[in-house]
Amino acid sequence: VKGAPALGAALAAVGIAVGKLALDAAEFGEMENAFKRLAISQGASADQILKKMKEASEGVLSQAEILKMANEAMLAGIPIDNLEKITKIAKGAASSTGESITTMMNSITNGLARGSTMMLRHAGIVFDAEKVYEDYAKSVNKTVDQLSDAEKKQVFMNEALKVGQQTLNTLGESQASAA
């Protein structure tokens, strides 16, 4: 019965692994339920958003990764209807820098949530936020100081997504011409 301790240890390891899988499944279910509730709160179809993000990542992201990133973005105040575009921009930035799409998604969503051009710069989204605020303020006959926080946040997000799309288009053109 020399092998009994080894067998016992092996069975214990299997038990721990099965327990971890059960815990992971429970966490996934919680993430999925949270995603569905957040999507509904924004009047969107969770299944459609999930499908669009999966397509935008070209299958690189798992469903669990998408759920986690989408939940974090929505909890940070990023509208669900921007997630597909953010995923495409992150995919393009990841392809050109060699970083992971997850790293790029985090840079973009954190940059948008915090209003940080420095974080966005990591994903190739570069613009002068103060100039954007000044231009918008002039267009609505206000000064920058008169803009509400909500207006600034929306202007910032709009500009970041516009510049991100332009960068993505430029990357696509340069990759096509290099082929």
Side-chain angles (χ1 to χ4, degrees), residues 106-123 125-129 133 152-153 156-157 160:
N106 287 333
S107 291
I108 296 169
T109 57
N110 288 329
L112 292 174
R114 295 178 182 167
S116 171
T117 55
M118 184 178 284
M119 293 179 110
L120 293 173
R121 186 178 305 269
H122 184 68
I125 301 172
V126 180
F127 63 94
D128 180 349
Y133 297 146
K152 285 182 177 179
K153 184 172 180 128
F156 186 91
M157 188 171 308

Side-chain angles (χ1 to χ4, degrees), residues 61 65-74 101-102 105-106:
L61 295 174
E65 290 171 315
I66 291 171
L67 291 172
K68 182 180 184 301
M69 286 186 275
N71 288 348
E72 289 172 353
M74 288 187 287
I101 188 171
T102 304
M105 285 282 293
N106 287 333

Side-chain angles (χ1 to χ4, degrees), residues 4 11 15 22 40 46 92 110 133 159 168 173 177:
L11 288 174
I40 288 168
N110 288 329
Y133 297 146
E159 185 67 13
L168 182 61
E173 291 168 11
S177 65

Side-chain angles (χ1 to χ4, degrees), residues 24 27-29 31-32 35 49-51 53-74 83 86-87 90-91 94 99-106 109:
D24 289 348
E27 288 175 1
F28 178 81
M31 273 194 312
E32 187 173 41
F35 176 74
I49 298 299
L50 190 61
K51 180 181 176 195
M53 289 180 72
K54 186 77 167 171
E55 289 171 359
S57 78
E58 297 176 8
V60 172
L61 295 174
S62 70
Q63 186 169 344
E65 290 171 315
I66 291 171
L67 291 172
K68 182 180 184 301
M69 286 186 275
N71 288 348
E72 289 172 353
M74 288 187 287
L83 296 180
I86 292 169
T87 305
K91 173 75 170 77
E99 290 284 351
S100 73
I101 188 171
T102 304
T103 298
M104 291 297 131
M105 285 282 293
N106 287 333
T109 57

Side-chain angles (χ1 to χ4, degrees), residues 1-15:
V1 195
K2 287 186 198 175
L7 179 60
L11 288 174
V14 168

